[in-house]
Each structure stands twice: as structure tokens, then as C-alpha cells.
Amino acid sequence: VGGEQISSIGRGLCVLLGISLEDTQRELEHMVRKILNLRVFEDESGKHWSKSVMDKQYEVLCVSQFTLQCILKGNKPDYHMAMPTEQAESFYNNFLEQLRKAYKPELIKDGKFGAYMQVHIQNDGPVTIELESPAATVDPKQLTKLEKQQQRKEKTRTKVPSESSRERNVPRNKDDPSASSGAEGDVSSEREP
């Protein structure tokens, strides 16, 4: 920060934490549990994905990164889903406190909240894992307009057109004897596949 090294760790986890407008104590507790118990390290015999940061007594470096809450509007990032700075700082400090209570406080390091930081990560593998707290049941009335639009887009992407809708999208030739307006009944058996 400002040309000065304020924190560093040896072997362990670098946690880039994006805090959402909707995050609560429940999400905070879930993330603390997941981060400390995530089995990403090898055991003594070299077996991968066997040990957690706590099992290995490794360090954790936390960096608050609101840009993880970015939603793209075209090519422009929009951060309206990120928790506002005043609330987010308190949430982040609470997150660090919970990590320290659940593990060894001297092994939990952090950056400087809200500061422009140069973060140097030597990613072993590289391994990057995205953790999300479990989705809470959301009342449709509480969804924002943007979220509703995204849900509609996702539903649209997952729909597979039925045979009849594919046929409707094929331009009809007036001279084609098998073409039908649908008024004469089903003529699909007359068409070649």
C-alpha cells in the first residue's frame, strides 16, 4: 500500500473477499467455515486435496475486493450489488475477527480495507476456487430489476426449442405442397426429417 509492504504470508491461502449487499452474518459464518476447512493441500504421503489450511497450520491472507461483486452492463462494470463502503468495512472486520476466533489469530493476515493495493500472489498449481455462500430462498418481490432480467436470460438460454417451434421458424415456400398453415391438421408426417 503506497509502496510499503503491510502484510505477507508464507504457504497458505490468499482470500479475495467480495461482500455483497445481501450478505448477512449467516453468509459470513459459512464462508469462515468453508475457508478454514477447504481441503486443497496435500497430506504427508503426497495425496492431493486432503488437508485444510488448519490441518497444515498454514496462514491466511485476506483482501477485501469489492470488484468481485461486479455485474457487467454491456462492457461496463456495475458495482451496485457490492455492499456500501461503511457497511462493508464493518462486515470485513467482523469476518477477520471470526476467522481469528475459529483459528489461530497470528496466522490470519489482511490488507488495508479500501486502499489501492498491489497484491502479489504466487499461485501454487495454479489453484483458484470460487466459494459462494448457499443461496437463500429469495422472495421474488425482493429481486431487483437487473436480477429479474438475468433470471429471464438464464431461463431463455436453457430452453430447447420444441419440434413445433422449430418448424414455425422455418420460412415456408408457397409452392411447397407440404407447407401448411396448420388449419388442415398435422402434416408433419409428410415432411422429410
Side-chain angles (χ1 to χ4, degrees), residues 11-13 33-44 47-60 102-104 107:
R11 192 134 164 93
L13 296 175
R33 227 176 12 261
K34 276 292 187 190
I35 289 165
L36 295 177
N37 292 292
L38 185 66
R39 294 185 294 165
V40 293
F41 299 104
E42 58 187 38
D43 65 14
E44 296 70 32
K47 182 179 175 193
H48 295 283
W49 315 108
S50 300
K51 297 289 182 177
S52 71
V53 73
M54 289 197 310
D55 294 333
K56 300 293 276 184
Q57 300 295 296
Y58 288 161
E59 296 173 289
V60 178
Y103 189 33
K104 295 181 175 185
L107 297 181

Side-chain angles (χ1 to χ4, degrees), residues 8 30 49 74 81 103 122 127 136 152 157 168-169 178:
S8 70
H30 174 82
W49 315 108
M81 290 304 292
Y103 189 33
Q122 185 175 343
V127 175
R152 281 195 293 272
R157 279 187 221 125
R168 277 183 286 203
N169 292 333
S178 67

Side-chain angles (χ1 to χ4, degrees), residues 158-172 188 191-193:
T158 58
K159 287 182 181 175
V160 176
S162 66
E163 188 65 35
S164 60
S165 65
R166 272 187 253 147
E167 289 172 3
R168 277 183 286 203
N169 292 333
V170 175
R172 294 192 177 149
S188 60
R191 295 191 185 138
E192 293 181 25

